[in-house]
Structure formats: C-alpha cells, structure tokens
Amino acid sequence: MDGFLAALVISFGVIFVAELGDKSQLMALTFATRFKPVPVLIGITIATAIVHLASVAIGYGLNAALPTGWISLIAGLAFLGFGVWTLRGDKLTEEEKRKAEKTGKSAVIAVGVAFFLAELGDKTMLATITLATKYGWFGTWLGSTLGMVAADALAILVGRMLGRHLPEKAIRYGAAVLFAICGLWLILEAVDQL
C-alpha cells in the first residue's frame, strides 16, 4: 500500500481505535438517547470533517517544515503518549452531560457544535495532526473522519440497541496497546532514519 490508500487505511484504523471509549463517543451515546440517530451522525460528521481538516492542515504544514526522521520520532513519542492517555480514560463532565442532554431546535446543530468543541485539542485531533505529518493530508483527512464517524456510529448503535456501554476497561487496554505498537514502530523508523 502506498500514498492515498495507505493514508486512508492507517488513519481510519488509528482514529477508530482512538475514538473507542473517548469522551466524544460517550457524547454520541448520550445524544442517541435524546435524538434520532441520523441527525446525530450528520452533526458528528460535519464537526469531525471540519476539525480534522484543520488538523491535517497543521500536520501537513509541520511536515513541510521538519525532516522526516524527526517527524517519525515525534510521532512515535506522541503515539506512546496517546496510549497512556487512553489508559487514563475519558469521562464526561457534568457540563458536557448537560450539553448533550439539551434539546434544541436542531439536533444536527446541537450535536455538531458540541462535537466541534469537544474535539478541539482531543487525542483524535492530535493523532490526526501526527498522521498528516507522515502520510499526507487528503487520505489522512478522509480516513480519520470516516474512522471517527464509524466509531461514534458504533456507539450510537450499541447504545440504542443494548442500552449499555461497551466494556470500557477492555477497550482502553486494547487501544493503549495498539497506540504503543504504532508509537514503537514510528520510533524504530526514526532511529533508522537519524
């Protein structure tokens, strides 16, 4: 795999895993109890597409400014950090729960605004920036957006069908291990290049 397809597949997988158990996935579950699934998914998709477009722009700009070996090293260390962050887990604050439970004139706008704000500075945004430095902008943007929407759609489906959360501990540990593997792989690439 090379180019666009590699960026698409890798960013989809990384962001899908990163989103499992994330606070925005918990928000998706909460919104799914208040609104119909389609408007929730539309709001999530719009917000994600915008945040991840900004993320890949930042990552693409960094790629032009830094040599590849250093990018791989920084990306590897970032992924190890994402693994630790994932082990810590995310919880919704009371304010985030209230925002998710509010009904408004438009579910799409309510969900979109809440997700946009929740994703700023979140690990999925930072992971997208990191991926864009390595794999380019378009495939990373499309893959990361689709990965996040797919993970949140899973949360909505599970939340609506089963009425309970995915086993958080298993998801956190699995995601942390995958981040650590990606991080170590990137660090080894960096060492080879430097």
Side-chain angles (χ1 to χ4, degrees), residues 138-155:
F138 186 68
T140 301
W141 172 70
L142 188 59
S144 65
T145 300
L146 292 174
M148 186 161 164
V149 171
D152 289 335
L154 177 65

Side-chain angles (χ1 to χ4, degrees), residues 7 14 17 35 44 48 79 96 107 111 121 129 135 139 144 156 158 182:
V14 167
V17 168
F35 302 118
I44 289 169
T48 301
F79 273 80
E96 289 168 331
V111 172
I129 291 169
Y135 297 104
S144 65
I156 291 166
V158 168
C182 289

Side-chain angles (χ1 to χ4, degrees), residues 80-153:
L80 291 177
F82 298 150
V84 172
W85 188 345
T86 301
L87 280 176
R88 187 194 79 201
D90 274 334
K91 301 275 189 243
L92 290 177
T93 65
E94 287 304 313
E95 182 181 340
E96 289 168 331
K97 283 181 188 174
R98 278 195 307 277
K99 284 181 185 174
E101 290 171 355
K102 278 185 184 175
T103 56
K105 291 182 181 179
S106 172
V108 172
I109 292 171
V111 172
V113 169
F115 267 78
F116 179 81
L117 295 174
E119 283 306 304
L120 294 177
D122 193 52
K123 70 182 170 199
T124 52
M125 180 184 183
L126 299 174
T128 302
I129 291 169
T130 304
L131 289 165
T133 63
K134 183 87 174 143
Y135 297 104
W137 79 271
F138 186 68
T140 301
W141 172 70
L142 188 59
S144 65
T145 300
L146 292 174
M148 186 161 164
V149 171
D152 289 335

Side-chain angles (χ1 to χ4, degrees), residues 1-193:
M1 262 191 310
D2 63 332
F4 171 77
L5 187 59
L8 179 74
V9 170
I10 291 167
S11 60
F12 178 93
V14 167
I15 299 304
F16 181 86
V17 168
E19 185 64 8
L20 297 177
D22 192 62
K23 70 178 175 185
S24 48
Q25 193 180 42
L26 298 174
M27 286 176 64
L29 276 166
T30 305
F31 277 123
T33 64
R34 302 287 291 161
F35 302 118
K36 292 181 180 180
V38 172
V40 173
L41 272 176
I42 292 170
I44 289 169
T45 303
I46 292 168
T48 301
I50 293 168
V51 169
H52 287 201
L53 187 59
S55 301
V56 296
I58 293 166
Y60 193 72
L62 286 175
N63 185 35
L66 296 173
T68 15
W70 287 105
I71 290 172
S72 290
L73 181 61
I74 293 167
L77 293 172
F79 273 80
L80 291 177
F82 298 150
V84 172
W85 188 345
T86 301
L87 280 176
R88 187 194 79 201
D90 274 334
K91 301 275 189 243
L92 290 177
T93 65
E94 287 304 313
E95 182 181 340
E96 289 168 331
K97 283 181 188 174
R98 278 195 307 277
K99 284 181 185 174
E101 290 171 355
K102 278 185 184 175
T103 56
K105 291 182 181 179
S106 172
V108 172
I109 292 171
V111 172
V113 169
F115 267 78
F116 179 81
L117 295 174
E119 283 306 304
L120 294 177
D122 193 52
K123 70 182 170 199
T124 52
M125 180 184 183
L126 299 174
T128 302
I129 291 169
T130 304
L131 289 165
T133 63
K134 183 87 174 143
Y135 297 104
W137 79 271
F138 186 68
T140 301
W141 172 70
L142 188 59
S144 65
T145 300
L146 292 174
M148 186 161 164
V149 171
D152 289 335
L154 177 65
I156 291 166
L157 180 67
V158 168
R160 298 216 22 117
M161 290 179 70
L162 303 177
R164 58 180 103 115
H165 299 286
L166 294 169
E168 283 186 48
K169 198 175 211 178
I171 291 168
R172 273 201 327 265
Y173 288 139
V177 166
L178 289 173
F179 271 123
I181 290 169
C182 289
L184 292 173
W185 185 345
L186 287 168
I187 289 170
L188 288 174
E189 276 185 11
V191 168
D192 186 46
Q193 291 176 12

